Every structure is written in structure tokens, then in C-alpha cells.
Amino acid sequence: LIERADAEVRLTTSSACTLAGVWLNRGVGTVFSVGDSAVFIVRQGAIKRLTPESRGTGLRTFVGMGAGVRPSVALSTMPFEAGDVFLIGSDGIFDAVPPGDLAVLSDSPDALLPAVTHRLVDHGHDDDATLVYVRVLGIEADPWQERAMQDL
């Protein structure tokens, strides 16, 4: 998927972009990133970065830069729990708002957006600023495991 996006970006523009996300499936999260966007998890008030810091690696780590993209994809898995909050964002967010401040605000998504917007304006930041907020409400059971238990 990332290689395909890289090829499409190279065909349509001379720019590059970053990519980060988390795929949640039955208690296991697959975290991925290319470039300087990041994924953090907030669990019980503590925040932890799940993607590697990529500053200083140059443009070869961005989607749209060709052959260098594949080796720079960070991919990991981790268990997640109901109540966990994932914060996925661009460096424009994390440069202006320290992760610890985001952790405090993560309990209230309604307070998070205005606080982050205020920080961005105060910071005078001219970089892109994208933030995705994901709260895990529950974990879906494995239907195959449920079926096996019913057959017993």
C-alpha cells in the first residue's frame, strides 16, 4: 500500500508527504509510519510514543521519494485496551504542543481541539498540523473463538 501511494505521489507532484496510523483488530494494534508523523498512545494518563523519531533522516523517509521509502517504513504491533487513546499527528502538532500536554487533554476530546488550536496560533507555527484522536471503547471478540466455545 505504501509503495503504491509512493508511486502515485511521484507521478502527480514533486512534493512528498508523511504517513502514520494504527490498525486496531481484536486487541492488537498495528502501528505504522513513514516520515515525521507520529503515533502516541495515552493509557491511564501516561503518554508513550509508538513510532520512531525520524528527524534528520532527510526526504528519503517520505512518501514520494521513491526507492528509499520501503526501508524507512516503521511497523510494530502492540496490545491495546478499552480506554486507550491513540493520537496520530503530523510534526506540526507535536512541535507546538508537548506530548505531556496532549496526554492531560486526551480525557476530553471537546477540550483537546480548542487547546491545540490555541497552542498552534500562539506558537506561530506555519507547518501543517493534523491530529487524529481515537479512543478505544471496547474490543471486539474473535467470532471464530466464540463459535468454538459454543461448539463445546
Side-chain angles (χ1 to χ4, degrees), residues 24-113:
L24 305 174
N25 186 30
R26 297 188 181 107
V28 177
T30 301
V31 179
F32 57 90
S33 69
V34 177
D36 56 8
S37 291
V39 179
F40 286 82
I41 186 171
V42 181
R43 179 177 286 163
Q44 299 174 352
I47 191 165
K48 178 182 178 185
R49 186 180 181 121
L50 300 177
T51 52
E53 181 72 45
S54 66
R55 298 201 187 276
T57 57
L59 288 177
R60 73 182 192 288
T61 64
F62 289 73
V63 175
M65 292 294 106
V69 170
R70 187 173 194 167
S72 65
V73 175
L75 186 67
S76 62
T77 59
M78 60 160 299
F80 65 89
E81 305 168 357
D84 285 349
V85 172
F86 290 91
L87 299 173
I88 306 161
S90 64
D91 63 326
I93 293 289
F94 301 120
D95 287 348
V97 186
D101 292 355
L102 289 169
V104 170
L105 294 165
S106 69
D107 280 342
S108 174
D110 293 332
L112 181 66
L113 180 60

